[in-house]
Amino acid sequence: QVQLQESGPGLVKPSETLSLTCTVSGGSISSYYWSWIRQPPGRGLEWIGYIYYTGSTDYNPSLKSRVAISVDTSKNQFSLKLRSVTAADTAVYYCAGTHNWFDPWGQGTLVTVSS
Amino acid sequence: EIVLTQSPGTLSLSAGERATLSCRASQSVRSSQLAWYQQKPGQAPRLLMYGASSRATGIPDRFSGSGSGTDFTLSISRLEPEDFAVYSCQQYGTSPWTFGQGTKVEIK
């Protein structure tokens, strides 16, 4: 059974870069596409982008200019970088297996943007 | 992008009652490429349905989905205590993939 776990700093300063990693266990990262999704406090979900193990990506146009998703197949991990963050980027960030729909999901990690 | 509008915002029902949740798209969702998720406080979303009407693995048959084009419905035939949660729809027919804002099913 595939499980995902997000890791990274819970606090990022405005204008800096948010960096998160998702570790895939119980299966190969070559099996699916992999996405990042976020949820601001009390609000709905927003798809950020996905990556395939080959490195092929697709991003939400609303974030495309600031986002990069990468994959490390040797570590069974994929990562998110979001540049020039503001308070509006404060959210719970989830990683998820992607078949067009999302399953399974990591437990999520809260990232707060504040000085 | 396709905007998904869910209604009602909150549904107050008792255990044993039927729940009917709506998800309306701003334009047609290609090939009924719509999923539903359940989310409880402090937890990640859980996939319930995909392809508008296919149940995900392990989802009980009291959950059913229907619809096509711009109008989709998630039904829960008889609410169990563990079904009180927030439900969100998601379309994956057109990039960027988008979610509805969610419907909260609460205990009356």
Side-chain angles (χ1 to χ4, degrees), chain A residues 35 37 39 44-47 50 58 60-61 94 98 100-103 105-107, chain B residues 1 35 37 39 43-47 50-51 88 90 92 95-97 99-101:
Chain A
S35 284
I37 299 153
Q39 185 171 36
L45 297 154
E46 179 181 33
W47 172 67
Y50 72 63
D58 188 21
N60 191 322
Y94 297 100
T98 304
N100 296 321
W101 57 86
F102 304 110
D103 182 58
W105 295 64
Q107 66 184 29
Chain B
E1 72 177 43
Y37 301 86
Q39 188 174 22
Q43 296 185 16
R46 171 196 182 197
L47 177 69
Y50 60 91
S88 299
Q90 175 235 337
Y92 51 90
S95 185
W97 300 332
F99 292 86
Q101 82 281 15

Side-chain angles (χ1 to χ4, degrees), chain B:
Chain B
E1 72 177 43
I2 294 179
V3 176
L4 299 178
T5 301
Q6 293 186 242
S7 61
T10 302
L11 197 51
S12 298
L13 294 168
S14 301
E17 289 193 294
R18 180 182 184 85
T20 302
L21 288 66
S22 173
C23 177
R24 179 162 290 178
S26 61
Q27 56 187 279
S28 184
V29 176
R30 191 163 53 194
S31 302
S32 297
Q33 294 182 355
L34 188 115
W36 288 93
Y37 301 86
Q38 177 193 68
Q39 188 174 22
K40 297 180 180 178
Q43 296 185 16
R46 171 196 182 197
L47 177 69
L48 296 176
M49 315 288 299
Y50 60 91
S53 60
S54 296
R55 274 187 299 276
T57 302
I59 302 304
D61 61 6
R62 64 180 180 273
F63 290 90
S64 63
S66 64
S68 63
T70 60
D71 289 299
F72 298 86
T73 300
L74 175 70
S75 298
I76 310 170
S77 59
R78 294 172 310 280
L79 283 164
E80 297 286 343
E82 62 269 26
D83 298 337
F84 292 93
V86 174
Y87 293 84
S88 299
C89 55
Q90 175 235 337
Q91 68 80 24
Y92 51 90
T94 301
S95 185
W97 300 332
T98 52
F99 292 86
Q101 82 281 15
T103 288
K104 181 180 181 180
V105 179
E106 65 175 21
I107 299 174
K108 187 174 182 179

Side-chain angles (χ1 to χ4, degrees), chain A residues 8-115:
Chain A
L11 181 64
V12 181
K13 290 182 168 56
S15 80
E16 295 191 345
T17 296
L18 179 159
S19 297
L20 296 173
T21 295
C22 182
T23 301
V24 180
S25 59
S28 170
I29 201 162
S30 305
S31 301
Y32 305 120
Y33 287 74
W34 305 96
S35 284
W36 287 98
I37 299 153
R38 69 181 183 178
Q39 185 171 36
R43 297 182 61 185
L45 297 154
E46 179 181 33
W47 172 67
I48 298 170
Y50 72 63
I51 191 164
Y52 194 45
Y53 77 98
T54 57
S56 172
T57 56
D58 188 21
Y59 300 130
N60 191 322
S62 68
L63 296 167
K64 189 172 185 176
S65 64
R66 299 194 290 132
V67 170
I69 300 176
S70 59
V71 64
D72 186 337
T73 55
S74 67
K75 295 182 179 178
N76 241 30
Q77 293 177 335
F78 62 104
S79 298
L80 169 71
K81 290 189 185 300
L82 180 64
R83 297 181 294 274
S84 303
V85 297
T86 69
D89 295 310
T90 293
V92 175
Y93 285 76
Y94 297 100
C95 56
T98 304
H99 315 257
N100 296 321
W101 57 86
F102 304 110
D103 182 58
W105 295 64
Q107 66 184 29
T109 187
L110 174 63
V111 179
T112 301
V113 178
S114 175
S115 56

